[in-house]
Amino acid sequence: MPDGALLDEREEQAYRLLVGLSAAKAAELAEVARLPKQEADEVLQRLQAKGLVTMQAADDPVFRPVPPDVALGTTLLRRQESLEAARKTVAALSEEFRASVSRRDAHHLVEVIVGATTLRERLRDLQNAAREEILWFCRANPLAMQGADNTEEYGALSRGVRYRAIYERALIETPGELDSIAEGVSWGEEARVMPALPVRLAIVDRSTAICPLVRDEEQSIGEPSAAIIKRGQLLDALLALFESYWELATPLRLQPDEKVDESEGPDDSERLLLSLLVGGVPDKSIATQLGISRRTVQRRLDRLMALAGVDTRTGLAYQSAKRSWI
């Protein structure tokens, strides 16, 4: 029987046949399975020991199948608990190994990878392994993965992993990108926008970062490369960089906020408009993203300025933050 298998091939075949028969004696099962009577007896005894069949009548017993989820559920649960314990042990030992090695060999703190495919796969692996938090600097013209292609985000969010992403304004202006960001926000992502970001960056569980090495103007020369950065002062600096930009970035209000009283403040579409305005997105791009005309953008801004009691966009931005409209 293969390692980890709950049933061997003959046991599984016998159980399937017994399910089809509803109930059978050993001789009947032997005939259907084309097995010697002794082998059928042995298989049925093994199935009974595993709780998959019940036996009625002692002299000429009749065997009936038992639902497998009942019989094997406890075994599966124990194996799952054992695997989770083993995973935690391996993770702890790996962390201890990396910490020890990094003190002796700086090469273990930074790993260089080359190629868009390799970079994309590493990003996916890190997200699949994330347990607490993922931080993103999302610049325009992604090197390895478009936002819509990042299907691992939903899986991580569903496990309780926190996502905080800062988007560059030029990326927000890309057609269709705002819809992709809105989908991520609907899953639980926290999104903000900045006029520009210094680097592309992803940090997973505050223990591993990926940062491309090639400048934008050099992307056309050869394959893209990136550094995988482990715990150390360089990673601490990248974490501080992210947090400083997070404080300065403008929240993207793409989901309804129950705390806002829309009878006294902007509605959902107007709060999105404000987020884009404060983030520095031009009127033309705002109109494109919202599917409205530039004149409608101006009309809504005029209404919001009147609502805030100001007559400039700067004043509107200040009042929007002060009143928690964004």
Side-chain angles (χ1 to χ4, degrees), residues 95 98-112 207-209 227-235 238:
E95 185 62 29
R98 285 192 293 267
S100 176
V101 170
S102 65
R103 288 193 293 269
R104 300 191 304 269
D105 188 351
H107 292 294
H108 287 271
L109 291 175
V110 179
E111 171 193 358
V112 176
S207 62
T208 306
I228 311 296
I229 302 162
K230 301 295 184 178
R231 283 198 175 114
Q233 290 192 349
L234 179 56
L235 179 59
L238 292 175

Side-chain angles (χ1 to χ4, degrees), residues 271-287:
R271 286 189 290 121
L272 172 55
L273 186 154
L274 284 171
S275 294
L276 297 174
L277 173 72
V278 176
V281 179
D283 287 7
K284 181 179 179 181
S285 296
I286 292 175

Side-chain angles (χ1 to χ4, degrees), residues 127 130-134 155-163 188 205:
Q127 289 182 92
R131 290 292 177 267
E132 297 177 5
E133 184 179 49
I134 296 178
L157 285 165
S158 65
R159 297 195 308 271
V161 176
R162 184 187 184 192
Y163 264 72
D205 290 341

Side-chain angles (χ1 to χ4, degrees), residues 6-267:
L6 295 174
L7 300 173
D8 64 27
E9 183 178 350
R10 185 148 294 177
E11 289 169 347
E12 182 177 345
Q13 178 192 23
Y15 180 79
R16 289 177 181 274
L17 290 172
L18 196 59
V19 168
L21 294 170
S22 296
K25 298 178 181 179
E28 294 171 337
L29 180 64
E31 181 179 355
V32 173
R34 298 179 180 178
L35 293 173
K37 170 73 164 49
Q38 184 178 354
E39 278 193 44
D41 281 328
E42 292 174 355
V43 171
L44 286 169
Q45 288 173 12
R46 294 203 300 271
L47 290 175
Q48 185 180 9
K50 293 180 179 182
L52 282 166
V53 300
T54 59
M55 183 180 70
Q56 297 175 337
D59 296 335
D60 193 9
V62 176
F63 296 89
R64 295 183 182 277
V66 174
D69 54 343
V70 175
L72 301 178
T74 301
T75 301
L76 286 173
L77 179 59
R78 287 174 180 169
R79 288 193 180 185
Q80 184 177 2
E81 292 173 346
S82 176
L83 285 172
E84 180 61 18
R87 186 196 65 77
K88 290 180 179 179
T89 299
V90 171
L93 291 174
S94 297
E95 185 62 29
E96 184 176 340
F97 172 81
R98 285 192 293 267
S100 176
V101 170
S102 65
R103 288 193 293 269
R104 300 191 304 269
D105 188 351
H107 292 294
H108 287 271
L109 291 175
V110 179
E111 171 193 358
V112 176
I113 58 175
V114 179
T117 300
T118 303
L119 177 55
R120 182 165 53 249
E121 290 304 317
R122 187 62 69 90
L123 282 169
R124 286 176 169 161
D125 290 343
L126 284 171
Q127 289 182 92
N128 287 331
R131 290 292 177 267
E132 297 177 5
E133 184 179 49
I134 296 178
L135 312 175
W136 288 98
F137 272 171
C138 302
R139 298 188 67 189
N141 305 315
L143 291 180
M145 186 186 304
Q146 300 291 332
D149 296 332
N150 188 17
T151 55
E152 287 72 27
E153 178 176 356
Y154 176 74
L157 285 165
S158 65
R159 297 195 308 271
V161 176
R162 184 187 184 192
Y163 264 72
R164 289 193 286 157
I166 304 176
Y167 294 91
E168 197 170 55
R169 184 172 64 202
L171 181 61
I172 296 288
E173 296 176 26
T174 304
E177 191 64 36
L178 194 60
D179 291 336
S180 175
I181 297 171
E183 184 177 10
V185 171
S186 71
W187 295 340
E189 175 189 303
E190 300 171 49
R192 297 190 178 186
V193 62
M194 284 286 289
L197 292 170
V199 293
R200 292 177 175 83
L201 180 66
I203 305 177
V204 178
D205 290 341
R206 297 182 170 266
S207 62
T208 306
I210 296 185
C211 183
L213 298 173
V214 179
R215 300 173 64 182
D216 283 2
E217 56 267 29
E218 300 170 352
Q219 285 185 28
S220 60
I221 304 175
E223 288 276 3
S225 59
I228 311 296
I229 302 162
K230 301 295 184 178
R231 283 198 175 114
Q233 290 192 349
L234 179 56
L235 179 59
D236 290 343
L238 292 175
L239 284 166
L241 177 68
F242 179 89
E243 295 297 351
S244 65
Y245 270 75
W246 183 258
E247 290 298 319
L248 296 171
T250 302
L252 277 173
R253 299 297 187 188
L254 303 174
Q255 291 293 101
D257 188 342
E258 295 178 358
K259 296 179 181 179
V260 175
D261 183 353
E262 293 186 356
S263 65
E264 300 179 1
D267 60 24

